[in-house]
Amino acid sequence: MGKAIRIYAGVGGRAARICAAAALLACGSNVQAQRTQLKPGWNLFSVQQDIVVGKQNAVQAEKQLPLCNSPKVDAYLTQLGMKLVAHLDTHGATYPWEFHCVNDRAINAFALPGGYVFVNRGAIEAADNEAQLAGVMAHEISHVALRHGTNQASKAQATQGLLGITGGLFGGGVSGAMLEQLGSFAAGGVLLRYSRNAETQADISGTQVLYDSGYDPRAMAQFFEKLEAETKGKNPPEFFSDHPSPDHRVDRVDQEISKLGGSPANARKDSQEFEAAKREVMNLPIVKKATPGPAGGGGMSKPAPPSSSMSMYQSTGYAMKYPDNWKKYGEQDNVAFAPDGGVGNDSSGHGALAYGISIGTQTVQDPNAPSALDTATQQLIDGLKQSNPSMKVARQAVRVRLNNQPALSTYLGSASPVGGQETDWVITVMRPEGLVYFVCTAPQAEYSNYDKTFGSILDSVRFK
Ligand SMILES: [Zn+2]
């Protein structure tokens, strides 16, 4: 950790004893004793599972993102990152840190659980000095140490317990299926969209790391301020969509700095290595971002049309058929079937189901109540709207039958991960195990190409 004594607020007894031992030293002015103590929040995952999930996502990110492919810049980021990690409180965990440069001019950076950090060239280019870049990285590694990604996933699991249309989680605790899901397309949106509270924590921890590493601790907040000032009235940088600014961000950081005893006079700001790395990224070829959209335009390629020959799927509660060129994701009560290329990126670049069907079960308190189907369907739709604010009801629920069971059919609309609008056709049925829902998703412009397939899938459903 590199510091001889770390006395936290709230450990008064110990602090008092150390003060007594220090006898004549002015303990009252030991401002370091006041630094904010942070702890990872509630989590269903183990640290080892953070690493597994993070690694799976990192492998995919490396395949999908344009990397800088500059050994020089990667080595520089790794060296800087490890210098910061040496002063990071990981709460006893050891992570396999990796640092990658992404050839993307958007000002952003992200860290996956387990310590897989990706820094866009845009963030390096936008930083005025090494301390500012170190600030961004200290913020990112703090998300890892505070385990914010899987904390969010745990909360989503507990409060929703369903597969959100835009890629939520599959139910039932941290099962193999859930890990599999988090390791694949559904992950990004849950793992990387932090709450403002998590942002404040990462700011505070990041400031402590900067301070302890000998950097100007104001550099992180200065960088955020600069980003905000430079983009006033324009599109805010991507960084703020992944890392939403908490209220009084800069004030809170300043407060922490004074708790730490102020910015040291000899704090490091810049280095020749930073300037060299910045020159290097500025000379990298510019990679045009694929513009997602059903019209093509270099975006993700459209999935192959659904095959008319079907495979059989059996869950504990029902059997059904699906096109044999679609893949199954998840298990048992919470599954999705999607074609290759059926998974796009949502507005903040995270994986989400764009084409396919998701099926899940939501527990219901009293499945036999006369209005149980209506009430539970409404709750399901409310939950979906909550996880996807762009979602609207396009056609109110109408009564239908699914395998001869009373069912509700509702059409929703929302922003598609591949651009434009998508249609989500939701069929809900009340079963002894709870509300079973089928969500058929495709971009609005192509929905008519999928309507028949969705119909065949639903016609094939047989409850047990
Ligand atoms: Zn953040």
Side-chain angles (χ1 to χ4, degrees), residues 134-296:
V136 172
M137 291 173 72
H139 177 101
E140 294 300 334
I141 62 175
S142 296
H143 279 308
V144 174
L146 291 162
R147 306 186 59 209
H148 286 147
T150 47
N151 168 250
Q152 304 267 118
S154 302
K155 284 192 280 193
Q157 171 67 9
T159 57
Q160 297 173 11
L162 57 89
L163 168 69
I165 285 173
T166 56
L169 290 172
F170 288 88
V174 188
S175 58
M178 187 166 163
L179 278 180
E180 188 193 320
Q181 278 312 313
L182 270 182
S184 68
F185 71 82
V190 180
L191 293 176
L192 295 174
R193 208 166 297 148
Y194 303 117
S195 66
R196 287 189 161 77
N197 186 36
E199 283 308 304
T200 299
Q201 291 190 353
D203 283 353
I204 291 170
S205 163
T207 300
Q208 294 172 350
V209 168
L210 277 186
Y211 179 87
D212 294 339
S213 314
Y215 285 104
D216 183 348
R218 292 167 308 183
M220 183 187 63
Q222 278 168 355
F223 184 66
F224 294 156
E225 270 188 320
K226 176 181 124 106
L227 290 188
E228 264 173 13
E230 282 175 5
T231 55
K232 258 221 159 89
K234 290 185 256 168
N235 269 346
E238 256 181 31
F239 186 84
F240 293 124
S241 68
D242 286 355
H243 304 269
S245 274
D247 289 340
H248 315 296
R249 181 165 221 164
V250 173
D251 290 347
R252 184 62 190 86
V253 168
D254 285 346
Q255 208 185 328
E256 192 64 23
I257 293 168
S258 52
K259 286 181 186 192
L260 292 166
S263 192
N266 56 351
R268 211 168 340 144
K269 268 217 163 107
D270 211 358
S271 75
Q272 290 194 337
E273 291 82 1
F274 169 77
E275 295 303 332
K278 186 167 169 172
R279 275 196 303 276
E280 178 93 5
V281 292
M282 286 181 130
N283 288 325
L284 290 173
I286 307 256
V287 175
K288 276 242 167 64
K289 255 200 198 171
T291 36

